[in-house]
């Protein structure tokens, strides 16, 4: 047997654990990497001894022997977007508590990057959390059949998910604007491949129709602050008195450009964002936006995923969760003006409209807008 002083001078090995437990090294390895293949009494004794010795298996060796890496991939569409900061914090903390490390992947708003990186790095992680996936429903469902995963901000049949209910927040935003007297409202849309973007638009159309309000869709726009100038110009050309932006970054960019054009917010135009990112309450004016428990979404996604990964866990009937969203009212929304703001020449052309199948809008492809008439206009 090895001298105890010599053993204390180096990290414990699997052989040390096996020797102390009185079992073969292969049995110790199975107990720690594939617990279901070892009887409970032996497994518990080996786990206790491993903890006493401070044994920590080499992740690469563990991957080779067990097929498990001990890592979880967390995919975000833009790592610089503050919306993902809380998701990443939530997944990181919950994964650490569950004994996993986090592999962070930036897909750069590309469904092709997302699919390619998942397959290229497959041996490096045990499961994946996809935050705001840009994959199609079919591609996402196919992927879920191939590997353990959880999608955040997505509801696709057969795919475990944590959904942040921003469509209900969109309805609250419309009702807030209607209460302030707004009768013509724009939805400033995000990426064409964004699933939440379409779900918010459907909620927007339903809410505006319920209140007999004219609805206009503008975009798509990149969900970045730099796209705010083009989005603001499109809003000024749309003959509306309020706009709901796809996210806070876009809304903050709009506020900055509107100020440079001499448009007063909210006296001339009301703006609503989404996500309540850090800084949304610091901009000028502070942004009215939709608030959600974003860090909790990350934590909950990890819980759903680890339930899939742990062979000792009982099968769970819970494969999906919905987290509520509420409207946080600040100074960027106010009473509707008597007339829409005067439009000056736009600095950039607005993008083309995104075709939709859930409404029958009248469209003007040249202006990049899509208008859903109110009930009064239809009657006329």
């Amino acid at each position: 047997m090895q001298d105890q002083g010599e053993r204390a001078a180096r990290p414990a090995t699997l052989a040390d654990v096996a020797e102390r437990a009185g079992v073969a090294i292969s049995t110790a390895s199975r107990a720690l990497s594939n617990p279901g293949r070892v009887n409970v009494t032996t497994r518990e004794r080996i786990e206790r001894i491993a903890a006493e010795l401070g044994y920590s298996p080499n992740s690469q060796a563990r991957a080779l022997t067990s097929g498990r890496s001990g890592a979880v991939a967390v995919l975000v569409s833009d790592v610089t977007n503050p919306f993902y900061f809380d998701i990443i914090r939530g997944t990181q903390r919950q994964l650490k508590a569950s004994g996993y490390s986090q592999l962070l992947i930036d897909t750069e708003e590309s469904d092709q990057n997302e699919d390619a990186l998942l397959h290229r790095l497959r041996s490096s992680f045990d499961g994946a959390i996809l935050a705001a996936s840009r994959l199609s429903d079919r591609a996402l469902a196919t992927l879920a059949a191939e590997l353990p995963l959880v999608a955040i901000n997505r509801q696709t049949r057969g795919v475990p998910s944590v959904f942040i209910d921003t469509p209900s927040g969109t309805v609250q935003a419309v009702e807030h604007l209607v209460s302030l007297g707004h009768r013509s409202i724009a939805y400033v849309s995000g990426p064409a491949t964004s699933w939440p973007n379409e779900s918010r638009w459907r909620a927007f159309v339903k809410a505006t129709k319920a209140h007999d309000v004219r609805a206009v869709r503008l975009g798509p726009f990149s969900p970045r602050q730099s796209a705010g100038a083009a989005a603001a110009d499109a809003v000024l050309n749309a003959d509306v008195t309020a706009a709901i932006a796809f996210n806070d970054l876009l809304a903050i960019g709009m506020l900055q450009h509107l100020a440079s054009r001499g448009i007063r917010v909210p006296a001339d135009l009301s703006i609503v964002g989404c996500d309540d990112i850090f800084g949304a309450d610091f901009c000028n004016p502070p942004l009215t936006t939709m608030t959600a428990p974003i860090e909790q979404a990350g934590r909950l996604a990890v819980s759903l995923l680890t339930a899939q990964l742990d062979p000792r866990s009982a099968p769970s009937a819970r494969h999906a969760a919905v987290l509520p969203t509420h409207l946080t009212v600040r100074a960027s929304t106010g009473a509707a003006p008597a007339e829409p703001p005067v439009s000056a020449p736009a600095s950039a052309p607005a993008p083309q409209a995104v075709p939709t199948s859930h409404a029958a809008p009248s469209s003007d492809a040249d202006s990049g807008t899509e208008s859903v008439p109110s009930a009064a206009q239809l009657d006329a």
Side-chain angles (χ1 to χ4, degrees):
M1 294 180 64
Q2 294 174 325
D3 179 78
Q4 290 185 350
E6 178 186 347
R7 180 180 298 168
R10 60 168 175 77
T13 66
L14 185 61
D16 296 333
V17 175
E19 180 182 331
R20 175 78 69 84
V23 299
I25 293 177
S26 58
T27 301
S29 176
R30 283 195 300 273
L32 296 173
S33 63
N34 197 350
R37 297 180 59 189
V38 179
N39 73 69
V40 175
T41 302
T42 301
R43 185 192 76 219
E44 289 179 346
R45 183 172 78 255
I46 292 171
E47 289 176 340
R48 185 187 71 254
I49 292 171
E52 290 173 355
L53 294 177
Y55 170 68
S56 178
N58 177 276
S59 60
Q60 292 180 334
R62 179 174 57 192
L64 289 172
T65 59
S66 68
R68 303 288 289 273
S69 68
V72 166
V74 176
L75 284 75
V76 299
S77 57
D78 180 3
V79 75
T80 65
N81 186 335
F83 167 75
Y84 295 112
F85 294 173
D86 282 341
I87 284 183
I88 294 169
R89 183 181 298 110
T91 54
Q92 174 76 23
R93 290 175 175 173
Q94 194 67 27
L95 285 169
K96 183 178 180 181
S98 302
Y100 288 89
S101 57
Q102 177 165 284
L103 175 62
L104 183 61
I105 300 174
D106 184 350
T107 64
E108 300 177 326
E109 295 285 354
S110 168
D111 58 335
Q112 294 180 343
N113 283 351
E114 186 173 344
D115 183 69
L117 288 167
L118 279 167
H119 286 92
R120 186 183 308 157
L121 301 174
R122 179 63 187 94
S123 62
S124 302
F125 58 85
D126 298 333
I129 294 172
L130 279 54
S133 173
R134 300 308 188 216
L135 296 174
S136 67
D137 281 345
R138 176 176 295 181
L140 187 59
T142 299
L143 191 66
E146 297 174 357
L147 61 91
L149 65 80
V150 174
I152 297 178
N153 245 9
R154 187 68 175 263
Q155 289 180 311
T156 299
R157 185 183 298 275
V159 179
S161 65
V162 177
F163 182 60
I164 300 173
D165 192 9
T166 49
S168 70
T170 302
V171 172
Q172 293 174 48
V174 170
E175 292 177 342
H176 169 63
L177 293 171
V178 169
S179 75
L180 294 171
H182 295 274
R183 309 301 302 168
S184 185
I185 307 171
Y187 176 71
V188 183
S189 64
T193 54
S194 168
W195 192 93
N197 186 58
E198 294 306 312
S199 64
R200 291 174 205 164
W201 168 245
R202 289 192 293 270
F204 179 83
V205 170
K206 185 175 181 180
T208 52
K209 283 186 175 180
H211 292 284
D212 194 21
V213 170
R214 174 175 170 261
V216 177
R217 177 170 178 161
L218 305 172
F221 295 97
S222 171
R224 297 182 173 91
Q225 190 170 329
S226 58
D233 286 339
V235 169
L236 291 177
N237 291 328
D239 196 32
V240 298
T241 60
I244 299 175
F246 170 73
N247 70 355
D248 286 348
L249 284 180
L250 191 56
I252 291 170
M254 292 171 63
L255 290 178
Q256 293 173 339
H257 188 68
L258 290 168
S260 72
R261 296 280 300 272
I263 303 299
R264 301 168 301 164
V265 176
D268 300 324
L269 183 69
S270 288
I271 301 293
V272 178
C274 180
D275 298 334
D276 201 8
I277 62 173
F278 177 79
D281 54 341
F282 298 153
C283 56
N284 185 26
L287 184 64
T288 293
T289 187
M290 304 171 212
T291 304
I294 299 174
E295 181 174 335
Q296 183 183 348
R299 288 181 176 274
L300 190 51
V302 170
S303 297
L304 293 178
L305 182 64
T306 53
Q308 299 178 54
L309 295 175
D310 188 353
R312 292 172 293 182
S313 64
S316 173
R318 188 180 192 187
H319 298 290
V322 177
L323 297 179
T325 301
H326 67 270
L327 187 69
T328 298
V329 178
R330 298 192 180 106
S332 68
T333 50
E339 297 291 339
V342 176
S343 173
S347 62
Q352 296 298 307
V354 178
T356 56
S357 59
H358 46 266
S362 60
S363 63
D364 181 347
D366 292 333
S367 67
T369 65
E370 182 175 293
S371 179
V372 178
S374 67
Q377 289 173 309
L378 291 173
D379 291 340

PDB file of all heavy atoms in Angstrom, residues 24 40 49 100 113 120 130 160 177 214 266 278 293 300 307 318 326 336 347 362 370:
ATOM      1  N   ALA A  24     -12.485  -3.135  -7.327  1.00  0.00           N
ATOM      2  CA  ALA A  24     -11.658  -2.944  -8.514  1.00  0.00           C
ATOM      3  C   ALA A  24     -11.795  -1.514  -9.017  1.00  0.00           C
ATOM      4  O   ALA A  24     -12.817  -0.848  -8.788  1.00  0.00           O
ATOM      5  CB  ALA A  24     -12.078  -3.921  -9.608  1.00  0.00           C
ATOM      6  N   VAL A  40     -26.613  -0.284  -4.903  1.00  0.00           N
ATOM      7  CA  VAL A  40     -26.727   0.938  -4.117  1.00  0.00           C
ATOM      8  C   VAL A  40     -25.721   0.991  -2.970  1.00  0.00           C
ATOM      9  O   VAL A  40     -25.063   2.016  -2.748  1.00  0.00           O
ATOM     10  CB  VAL A  40     -28.164   1.085  -3.564  1.00  0.00           C
ATOM     11  CG1 VAL A  40     -28.257   2.283  -2.639  1.00  0.00           C
ATOM     12  CG2 VAL A  40     -29.161   1.206  -4.700  1.00  0.00           C
ATOM     13  N   ILE A  49     -16.340   7.627   0.077  1.00  0.00           N
ATOM     14  CA  ILE A  49     -14.874   7.607   0.135  1.00  0.00           C
ATOM     15  C   ILE A  49     -14.287   8.625  -0.834  1.00  0.00           C
ATOM     16  O   ILE A  49     -13.313   9.319  -0.519  1.00  0.00           O
ATOM     17  CB  ILE A  49     -14.344   6.187  -0.168  1.00  0.00           C
ATOM     18  CG1 ILE A  49     -14.725   5.246   0.978  1.00  0.00           C
ATOM     19  CG2 ILE A  49     -12.841   6.193  -0.417  1.00  0.00           C
ATOM     20  CD1 ILE A  49     -14.459   3.785   0.700  1.00  0.00           C
ATOM     21  N   TYR A 100     -22.221  20.717 -12.740  1.00  0.00           N
ATOM     22  CA  TYR A 100     -21.866  20.831 -14.157  1.00  0.00           C
ATOM     23  C   TYR A 100     -21.108  22.132 -14.413  1.00  0.00           C
ATOM     24  O   TYR A 100     -21.278  23.125 -13.700  1.00  0.00           O
ATOM     25  CB  TYR A 100     -23.117  20.826 -15.030  1.00  0.00           C
ATOM     26  CG  TYR A 100     -23.813  19.486 -15.138  1.00  0.00           C
ATOM     27  CD1 TYR A 100     -24.790  19.112 -14.221  1.00  0.00           C
ATOM     28  CD2 TYR A 100     -23.495  18.601 -16.162  1.00  0.00           C
ATOM     29  CE1 TYR A 100     -25.432  17.886 -14.315  1.00  0.00           C
ATOM     30  CE2 TYR A 100     -24.131  17.371 -16.262  1.00  0.00           C
ATOM     31  CZ  TYR A 100     -25.092  17.016 -15.339  1.00  0.00           C
ATOM     32  OH  TYR A 100     -25.715  15.805 -15.442  1.00  0.00           O
ATOM     33  N   ASN A 113     -25.350  28.879 -37.876  1.00  0.00           N
ATOM     34  CA  ASN A 113     -24.293  28.770 -36.857  1.00  0.00           C
ATOM     35  C   ASN A 113     -24.751  27.903 -35.696  1.00  0.00           C
ATOM     36  O   ASN A 113     -24.001  27.078 -35.167  1.00  0.00           O
ATOM     37  CB  ASN A 113     -23.912  30.154 -36.330  1.00  0.00           C
ATOM     38  CG  ASN A 113     -23.026  30.926 -37.278  1.00  0.00           C
ATOM     39  OD1 ASN A 113     -22.545  30.390 -38.268  1.00  0.00           O
ATOM     40  ND2 ASN A 113     -22.820  32.197 -36.989  1.00  0.00           N
ATOM     41  N   ARG A 120     -20.961  20.213 -34.198  1.00  0.00           N
ATOM     42  CA  ARG A 120     -19.504  20.178 -34.178  1.00  0.00           C
ATOM     43  C   ARG A 120     -18.960  19.942 -32.770  1.00  0.00           C
ATOM     44  O   ARG A 120     -17.959  19.262 -32.578  1.00  0.00           O
ATOM     45  CB  ARG A 120     -18.948  21.491 -34.739  1.00  0.00           C
ATOM     46  CG  ARG A 120     -17.426  21.503 -34.906  1.00  0.00           C
ATOM     47  CD  ARG A 120     -16.976  22.868 -35.390  1.00  0.00           C
ATOM     48  NE  ARG A 120     -17.724  23.285 -36.572  1.00  0.00           N
ATOM     49  CZ  ARG A 120     -17.888  24.545 -36.951  1.00  0.00           C
ATOM     50  NH1 ARG A 120     -17.358  25.526 -36.223  1.00  0.00           N
ATOM     51  NH2 ARG A 120     -18.569  24.841 -38.039  1.00  0.00           N
ATOM     52  N   LEU A 130     -30.915  26.234 -25.107  1.00  0.00           N
ATOM     53  CA  LEU A 130     -30.961  27.141 -26.255  1.00  0.00           C
ATOM     54  C   LEU A 130     -31.807  28.353 -25.876  1.00  0.00           C
ATOM     55  O   LEU A 130     -33.025  28.251 -25.721  1.00  0.00           O
ATOM     56  CB  LEU A 130     -31.564  26.442 -27.471  1.00  0.00           C
ATOM     57  CG  LEU A 130     -30.655  25.521 -28.297  1.00  0.00           C
ATOM     58  CD1 LEU A 130     -29.996  24.460 -27.432  1.00  0.00           C
ATOM     59  CD2 LEU A 130     -31.440  24.862 -29.419  1.00  0.00           C
ATOM     60  N   PRO A 160     -38.769  20.324 -24.564  1.00  0.00           N
ATOM     61  CA  PRO A 160     -38.859  20.908 -23.214  1.00  0.00           C
ATOM     62  C   PRO A 160     -38.513  22.398 -23.267  1.00  0.00           C
ATOM     63  O   PRO A 160     -37.581  22.798 -23.978  1.00  0.00           O
ATOM     64  CB  PRO A 160     -37.811  20.118 -22.418  1.00  0.00           C
ATOM     65  CG  PRO A 160     -37.657  18.825 -23.163  1.00  0.00           C
ATOM     66  CD  PRO A 160     -37.828  19.179 -24.605  1.00  0.00           C
ATOM     67  N   LEU A 177     -51.191  51.900 -23.615  1.00  0.00           N
ATOM     68  CA  LEU A 177     -51.169  52.969 -24.614  1.00  0.00           C
ATOM     69  C   LEU A 177     -52.586  53.409 -24.975  1.00  0.00           C
ATOM     70  O   LEU A 177     -52.857  54.606 -25.146  1.00  0.00           O
ATOM     71  CB  LEU A 177     -50.408  52.507 -25.860  1.00  0.00           C
ATOM     72  CG  LEU A 177     -48.905  52.282 -25.653  1.00  0.00           C
ATOM     73  CD1 LEU A 177     -48.290  51.610 -26.879  1.00  0.00           C
ATOM     74  CD2 LEU A 177     -48.188  53.601 -25.345  1.00  0.00           C
ATOM     75  N   ARG A 214     -55.665  51.124 -34.818  1.00  0.00           N
ATOM     76  CA  ARG A 214     -54.889  50.835 -36.025  1.00  0.00           C
ATOM     77  C   ARG A 214     -53.513  50.284 -35.629  1.00  0.00           C
ATOM     78  O   ARG A 214     -52.810  50.862 -34.800  1.00  0.00           O
ATOM     79  CB  ARG A 214     -54.706  52.105 -36.853  1.00  0.00           C
ATOM     80  CG  ARG A 214     -53.798  51.949 -38.067  1.00  0.00           C
ATOM     81  CD  ARG A 214     -53.783  53.228 -38.899  1.00  0.00           C
ATOM     82  NE  ARG A 214     -52.753  53.198 -39.938  1.00  0.00           N
ATOM     83  CZ  ARG A 214     -51.569  53.776 -39.844  1.00  0.00           C
ATOM     84  NH1 ARG A 214     -51.260  54.462 -38.746  1.00  0.00           N
ATOM     85  NH2 ARG A 214     -50.700  53.701 -40.832  1.00  0.00           N
ATOM     86  N   PRO A 266     -42.255  61.605 -24.091  1.00  0.00           N
ATOM     87  CA  PRO A 266     -43.416  61.073 -24.804  1.00  0.00           C
ATOM     88  C   PRO A 266     -44.372  62.133 -25.366  1.00  0.00           C
ATOM     89  O   PRO A 266     -45.454  61.761 -25.826  1.00  0.00           O
ATOM     90  CB  PRO A 266     -44.110  60.277 -23.707  1.00  0.00           C
ATOM     91  CG  PRO A 266     -43.907  61.129 -22.487  1.00  0.00           C
ATOM     92  CD  PRO A 266     -42.517  61.719 -22.639  1.00  0.00           C
ATOM     93  N   PHE A 278     -30.607  45.989 -17.871  1.00  0.00           N
ATOM     94  CA  PHE A 278     -29.870  46.959 -17.070  1.00  0.00           C
ATOM     95  C   PHE A 278     -29.653  48.220 -17.920  1.00  0.00           C
ATOM     96  O   PHE A 278     -29.173  48.150 -19.045  1.00  0.00           O
ATOM     97  CB  PHE A 278     -28.516  46.389 -16.650  1.00  0.00           C
ATOM     98  CG  PHE A 278     -27.665  47.352 -15.870  1.00  0.00           C
ATOM     99  CD1 PHE A 278     -27.913  47.559 -14.524  1.00  0.00           C
ATOM    100  CD2 PHE A 278     -26.644  48.058 -16.491  1.00  0.00           C
ATOM    101  CE1 PHE A 278     -27.134  48.451 -13.795  1.00  0.00           C
ATOM    102  CE2 PHE A 278     -25.865  48.954 -15.781  1.00  0.00           C
ATOM    103  CZ  PHE A 278     -26.111  49.153 -14.424  1.00  0.00           C
ATOM    104  N   PRO A 293     -38.841  37.611 -14.980  1.00  0.00           N
ATOM    105  CA  PRO A 293     -37.793  36.996 -14.134  1.00  0.00           C
ATOM    106  C   PRO A 293     -36.795  36.233 -15.006  1.00  0.00           C
ATOM    107  O   PRO A 293     -36.830  35.005 -15.105  1.00  0.00           O
ATOM    108  CB  PRO A 293     -38.593  36.069 -13.213  1.00  0.00           C
ATOM    109  CG  PRO A 293     -39.792  35.684 -14.028  1.00  0.00           C
ATOM    110  CD  PRO A 293     -40.121  36.888 -14.869  1.00  0.00           C
ATOM    111  N   LEU A 300     -34.398  27.654 -14.121  1.00  0.00           N
ATOM    112  CA  LEU A 300     -35.430  26.651 -14.361  1.00  0.00           C
ATOM    113  C   LEU A 300     -35.075  25.778 -15.558  1.00  0.00           C
ATOM    114  O   LEU A 300     -35.331  24.561 -15.555  1.00  0.00           O
ATOM    115  CB  LEU A 300     -36.770  27.348 -14.581  1.00  0.00           C
ATOM    116  CG  LEU A 300     -38.028  26.478 -14.619  1.00  0.00           C
ATOM    117  CD1 LEU A 300     -38.093  25.568 -13.396  1.00  0.00           C
ATOM    118  CD2 LEU A 300     -39.267  27.373 -14.677  1.00  0.00           C
ATOM    119  N   ALA A 307     -32.833  17.052 -15.028  1.00  0.00           N
ATOM    120  CA  ALA A 307     -33.791  15.956 -14.815  1.00  0.00           C
ATOM    121  C   ALA A 307     -33.711  14.950 -15.953  1.00  0.00           C
ATOM    122  O   ALA A 307     -33.921  13.750 -15.749  1.00  0.00           O
ATOM    123  CB  ALA A 307     -35.205  16.507 -14.690  1.00  0.00           C
ATOM    124  N   ARG A 318     -43.221  17.190 -15.898  1.00  0.00           N
ATOM    125  CA  ARG A 318     -43.065  18.602 -16.242  1.00  0.00           C
ATOM    126  C   ARG A 318     -42.003  18.775 -17.321  1.00  0.00           C
ATOM    127  O   ARG A 318     -40.828  18.515 -17.109  1.00  0.00           O
ATOM    128  CB  ARG A 318     -42.667  19.416 -15.007  1.00  0.00           C
ATOM    129  CG  ARG A 318     -42.669  20.911 -15.257  1.00  0.00           C
ATOM    130  CD  ARG A 318     -42.269  21.671 -14.019  1.00  0.00           C
ATOM    131  NE  ARG A 318     -42.537  23.093 -14.154  1.00  0.00           N
ATOM    132  CZ  ARG A 318     -42.168  24.018 -13.284  1.00  0.00           C
ATOM    133  NH1 ARG A 318     -41.512  23.667 -12.206  1.00  0.00           N
ATOM    134  NH2 ARG A 318     -42.453  25.289 -13.477  1.00  0.00           N
ATOM    135  N   HIS A 326     -44.686  41.439 -16.730  1.00  0.00           N
ATOM    136  CA  HIS A 326     -45.553  42.575 -16.422  1.00  0.00           C
ATOM    137  C   HIS A 326     -44.957  43.850 -17.004  1.00  0.00           C
ATOM    138  O   HIS A 326     -43.748  43.940 -17.257  1.00  0.00           O
ATOM    139  CB  HIS A 326     -45.755  42.733 -14.909  1.00  0.00           C
ATOM    140  CG  HIS A 326     -44.512  43.134 -14.174  1.00  0.00           C
ATOM    141  ND1 HIS A 326     -43.612  42.211 -13.649  1.00  0.00           N
ATOM    142  CD2 HIS A 326     -44.000  44.360 -13.861  1.00  0.00           C
ATOM    143  CE1 HIS A 326     -42.629  42.849 -13.053  1.00  0.00           C
ATOM    144  NE2 HIS A 326     -42.828  44.158 -13.174  1.00  0.00           N
ATOM    145  N   ALA A 336     -51.541  60.612 -25.642  1.00  0.00           N
ATOM    146  CA  ALA A 336     -51.400  60.713 -27.091  1.00  0.00           C
ATOM    147  C   ALA A 336     -51.473  62.175 -27.530  1.00  0.00           C
ATOM    148  O   ALA A 336     -52.324  62.938 -27.047  1.00  0.00           O
ATOM    149  CB  ALA A 336     -52.491  59.908 -27.781  1.00  0.00           C
ATOM    150  N   SER A 347     -33.233  59.132 -42.493  1.00  0.00           N
ATOM    151  CA  SER A 347     -31.805  58.970 -42.774  1.00  0.00           C
ATOM    152  C   SER A 347     -31.495  57.640 -43.435  1.00  0.00           C
ATOM    153  O   SER A 347     -30.430  57.454 -43.979  1.00  0.00           O
ATOM    154  CB  SER A 347     -30.998  59.073 -41.471  1.00  0.00           C
ATOM    155  OG  SER A 347     -31.363  58.035 -40.584  1.00  0.00           O
ATOM    156  N   SER A 362     -53.249  45.218 -45.039  1.00  0.00           N
ATOM    157  CA  SER A 362     -52.934  45.915 -46.262  1.00  0.00           C
ATOM    158  C   SER A 362     -51.485  46.303 -46.158  1.00  0.00           C
ATOM    159  O   SER A 362     -51.015  46.698 -45.104  1.00  0.00           O
ATOM    160  CB  SER A 362     -53.798  47.173 -46.399  1.00  0.00           C
ATOM    161  OG  SER A 362     -53.573  48.046 -45.328  1.00  0.00           O
ATOM    162  N   GLU A 370     -46.575  47.385 -42.678  1.00  0.00           N
ATOM    163  CA  GLU A 370     -47.686  46.467 -42.855  1.00  0.00           C
ATOM    164  C   GLU A 370     -48.776  46.934 -41.899  1.00  0.00           C
ATOM    165  O   GLU A 370     -48.557  46.994 -40.685  1.00  0.00           O
ATOM    166  CB  GLU A 370     -47.207  45.055 -42.503  1.00  0.00           C
ATOM    167  CG  GLU A 370     -48.237  43.981 -42.694  1.00  0.00           C
ATOM    168  CD  GLU A 370     -47.599  42.634 -42.430  1.00  0.00           C
ATOM    169  OE1 GLU A 370     -46.723  42.216 -43.209  1.00  0.00           O
ATOM    170  OE2 GLU A 370     -47.985  42.020 -41.429  1.00  0.00           O
TER     171      GLU A 370
END
